[in-house]
Amino acid sequence: MSLDGWNRVLVLGGIRSGKSEFAESLVADATTVRYVATAAGDEDAEWAARLAAHRARRPAAWSTEETASDPRRLADVIAAARPDETLLVDDLGGWVTVLLDPAHQPADDTVTIDELVTAVRGCAARLVLVSPEVGLSLVPTTPLGRAFTDALGVVNRAVADVCDAVLLVVAGQPCQLKPAAAPGLAAGATTTAVAPAGASTAGAGTTVPAQAGPAVGDGSVSAPTPVVPVAAGGPVIQPGMELPMPDEYAGPQAVERLATLDVPGRGLGVLEQVVSFAATTQGTPTPTPWQSVRVLLLHGDHEGGAAAGTRPGESARRADQARAGQGVLARLADHGGASLQVVEAPTAAPIEHGPALTAEQVESALRYGWRLAEEAADAGVQLLVLAACGAGTEAAAAAVLAATAGAEAPAVLARVVTECGEFDDAAWMTRCAAIRDALHRIRRSGRDAKDVLAQLGGGDIAVATGVLLGATARRIPVLLDGPVGVAAGLVSRDLAGQARHWCLLADHGGHPAVQLAADVLGLTPLAELKLDLGEGANALTVLPLLRSALTLAAALPTRPDRAEGADSGPQQADEAPEVPAEPVEESEPDFREPEPEGPGPTSTEPAPADHSGSRAG
């Protein structure tokens, strides 16, 4: 289980249940973690030993902050956390103990608890809180014991109410309490089934009742099919969605197989990453090239300072050009055998003055993007390419990156280039000022995914987010290469963390926002061509190369030495090997360097460490 899809998580559990270890595993992949310790001093020897064990488990890269001296400071620490930070608070039981300590009385405990809940609700960082669950024990016989359990019960209920996810750890096993397995389902509602790996996508968009548990057929038990809640207007898109993950075993198997292929050199190099990605998303160690590819060109303008330096009507002209089969994107799509669909997105209002979209427009745009992905799946599309041509898209993406990853707008906003190839620094400064004013305007607002889309993202990024989520639900990989695509990737991560694993970054194009977002999402660009032909063009330029790599990986035979070694084993066990009729020296010499044992060097990332169950509760 990971933090992807949630910003605020509450982990409950009894004494020695393993709740702290589980909470630590949730943030293990974070670059840096601020560990907020709430417990009081360690005068008691046994208590000191427990605290020492906790300290010993923390990685050296984590920083520790203690709030025992002032219980009200915990709310300040949480409220001041930045969007690019990860906080682990362990635990609220210790915090309540300090709060009730006579040294901090008299105090208004209710106000202090309310301040904490308000801070958690508005926290911009990734936040994991640990708390003991004492509601299952006997009622304490002492006044102080009853005061503690009553106060902690109030805190747990209030914090759970504002968290995106709540888990209960029992005997080291996490049980998800919030959101429920199929959240948002009213009586009589239906759910859209997600097609399992390898299954046909035809008809996968039909609605079926939510499954109550695993299916039992011929004596074997299969994992339950992930389901997506559906309302009258389409899928219910909300944080914590459970969407399918790619096949984690097929990728390494495909890379191992590449080391056995009959190639004269060291292999595919960086393109091994493509083979691994295709293997995981296709669910087979022998992936095939993508034959049916669809390009979705999103046209949605951003008004106000975000579009400074853009000629009026230019984005509409580009969209019309693509519809007519002309221009860079259309010609590259035609050359690559990809279909091109122009998608009109809602125009975003000036973000420096107010929200870019209304909440209703965000919901509609997300569902529209989801529907586009479903239509592509029903048409047999095997790969989607996200492209964009709206005015002000770069500034909108930079604003989203600043809100979700804590980036500074000037650092991620590319310089404005005029049609004559000259830099327009005045327009660049206007865009930076628009982002600055927008971030100042929402400084006290929530940073949930839909809030970010409504306040900053606009229609094209909202539609792109829906496309990524819908493609993930239908197991379609998506090729990205520009600011709108990666901004949608950041937002979709906070709705369903599985979505980023279905994305492949063709090229960052030298764009600073794309480079930073790729680092946050864990995406490695396949090329560094530094083309500037419009979002989507880099991906289509690289597409033939990707197909060539997959064609070679699927068609090349195994090296003769590997094949002979596999066939000669049984023969050597029964009889002596044959003596060649001619001396070996008369055969054609082999000047190849000896192949290393095992798989050759690859560019794939190592498998993530398994943090589940590695420590006893």
Side-chain angles (χ1 to χ4, degrees), residues 314-339:
E314 177 65 13
S315 64
R317 186 181 73 85
R318 294 292 182 188
D320 292 339
Q321 191 180 56
R323 289 190 185 94
Q326 302 172 355
V328 174
L329 198 68
R331 295 184 185 278
L332 286 174
D334 180 66
H335 177 71
S339 62

Side-chain angles (χ1 to χ4, degrees), residues 82 398-399 401-403 405-413 428 432 435-436 439 512 516:
R82 302 188 307 272
L401 194 57
E408 294 291 338
V412 295
L413 188 59
W428 178 82
C432 288
I435 298 173
R436 177 203 62 198
L439 294 175
L516 178 58

Side-chain angles (χ1 to χ4, degrees), residues 6 22 57 75 100 200 283:
W6 301 316
F22 175 74
R57 281 203 309 263
L100 298 179
S200 171

Side-chain angles (χ1 to χ4, degrees), residues 504-524:
L504 186 65
L505 182 62
D507 189 352
H508 57 63
H511 197 292
V514 179
Q515 290 175 297
L516 178 58
D519 289 340
V520 175
L521 293 172
L523 301 177
T524 302

Side-chain angles (χ1 to χ4, degrees), residues 171-361:
Q173 306 302 310
C175 307
Q176 184 172 321
L177 306 179
K178 176 189 178 183
L185 287 178
T190 58
T191 59
T192 299
V194 178
S200 171
T201 58
T206 57
T207 56
V208 296
Q211 293 184 353
V216 181
D218 54 355
S220 62
V221 180
S222 62
T225 303
V227 293
V228 177
V230 173
V236 178
I237 298 177
Q238 57 191 356
M241 299 176 69
E242 288 293 336
L243 299 181
M245 282 284 289
D247 187 337
E248 61 179 319
Y249 301 106
Q253 292 172 356
V255 173
E256 290 179 4
R257 180 178 171 274
L258 289 178
T260 69
L261 298 183
D262 188 13
V263 294
R266 291 184 176 274
L268 295 175
V270 175
L271 294 181
E272 287 185 353
Q273 178 186 345
V274 180
V275 178
S276 176
F277 175 79
T280 60
T281 53
Q282 295 180 21
T284 173
T286 54
T288 57
W290 301 293
Q291 299 300 326
S292 179
V293 180
R294 177 172 294 181
V295 182
L296 296 178
L297 176 59
L298 306 180
H299 173 226
D301 290 339
H302 299 257
E303 297 178 342
T310 304
R311 188 173 68 178
E314 177 65 13
S315 64
R317 186 181 73 85
R318 294 292 182 188
D320 292 339
Q321 191 180 56
R323 289 190 185 94
Q326 302 172 355
V328 174
L329 198 68
R331 295 184 185 278
L332 286 174
D334 180 66
H335 177 71
S339 62
L340 175 60
Q341 180 179 356
V342 180
V343 179
E344 293 294 336
T347 300
I351 58 176
E352 62 267 36
H353 301 313
L357 299 175
T358 64
E360 293 75 16
Q361 286 178 310

Side-chain angles (χ1 to χ4, degrees), residues 295-298 328-330 332 340 385-390 393-394 397 460-461 464 479-489 505 507-509 511 514 531-540:
V295 182
L296 296 178
L297 176 59
L298 306 180
V328 174
L329 198 68
L332 286 174
L340 175 60
V385 179
L386 274 183
C389 67
T393 56
E394 293 185 352
D460 50 357
I461 298 179
L479 198 55
L480 309 176
D481 79 340
V484 170
V486 295
L505 182 62
D507 189 352
H508 57 63
H511 197 292
V514 179
L531 297 177
D532 191 10
L533 302 173
E535 183 163 357
N538 288 357
L540 290 177

